[in-house]
Amino acid sequence: MHHTGIEGPKGVWWKPAHKSEKVWVAIAFVWCMVLFAMMPFWHLRGGQNPTGIRHRVEPEAFRQRTEEFIEAYRVGEEENLPVVEPPPGSHVYLMGRMWAWTPILRLQTNATYTLHLSSVDVNHGFNLYPFNVNFQVVPGYDYGLEVTPTEAGDYRIVCNEFCGVGHHLMVGKVVVVDGGASAEAEGGSDVNRAVEAASVVPSTPSPSPPTPSGGDR
Ligand code: CUA
């Protein structure tokens, strides 16, 4: 058997594909489209890949802003780290540096905060334990994430980006306290009121309007 460039070899791969092959190609294609559609769908519906505010910030400026934030809302100290309790609705700053997360945050449930994350030295990884919340913390960028704690508890921030010999010691802390009572005492934030209103409206029967039947109430 011989063949030249003009006369190609005999083969079978350009013969019409077998039916089962077409079926498998169709299945694979449909599945690709499903996965493709899942990306935008899960972004919008699944509450993942948060669309945060991102802008550039000088590490030194971020450090100063964090210091100001700490000064403004400091309520105590724990293990040489300031404990800070910002009011609901406020901007919250969390600074990553070798090898600590500063400060310790005290947040309230059902209140929305804008959490600003940045690093003042190298890349760190924000991992809110025990949840599957992961975020790159990059020096030079301020990542603002809208967060609304839903469950009271004592959480840890674990660094999941190797950042030097102290990497494994870089553990921060977020304490979430029940926001209901104290927020009410302070008059509550707009966000809290909105959340309460939203959760009350569907479960409460509307105030009885004058009944058409002449009404006995
Ligand atoms: Cu910071 Cu690892």
Side-chain angles (χ1 to χ4, degrees), residues 118-194:
S118 193
S119 163
V120 293
D121 39 44
V122 298
N123 249 40
H124 297 285
F126 174 92
N127 179 195
L128 189 63
Y129 185 83
F131 302 109
N132 185 17
V133 175
N134 290 284
F135 221 77
Q136 287 278 330
V137 180
V138 183
Y141 285 93
D142 178 340
Y143 295 89
L145 300 170
E146 287 235 314
V147 294
T148 308
T150 50
E151 260 177 68
D154 202 334
Y155 306 105
R156 293 292 177 278
I157 303 161
V158 180
C159 181
N160 63 4
E161 199 66 49
F162 184 72
C163 56
V165 293
H167 164 66
H168 63 293
L169 300 170
M170 190 170 166
V171 180
K173 192 171 168 182
V174 179
V175 180
V176 177
V177 295
D178 232 314
S182 61
E184 202 56 41
E186 292 159 17
S189 70
D190 289 349
V191 172
N192 272 355
R193 276 195 293 270

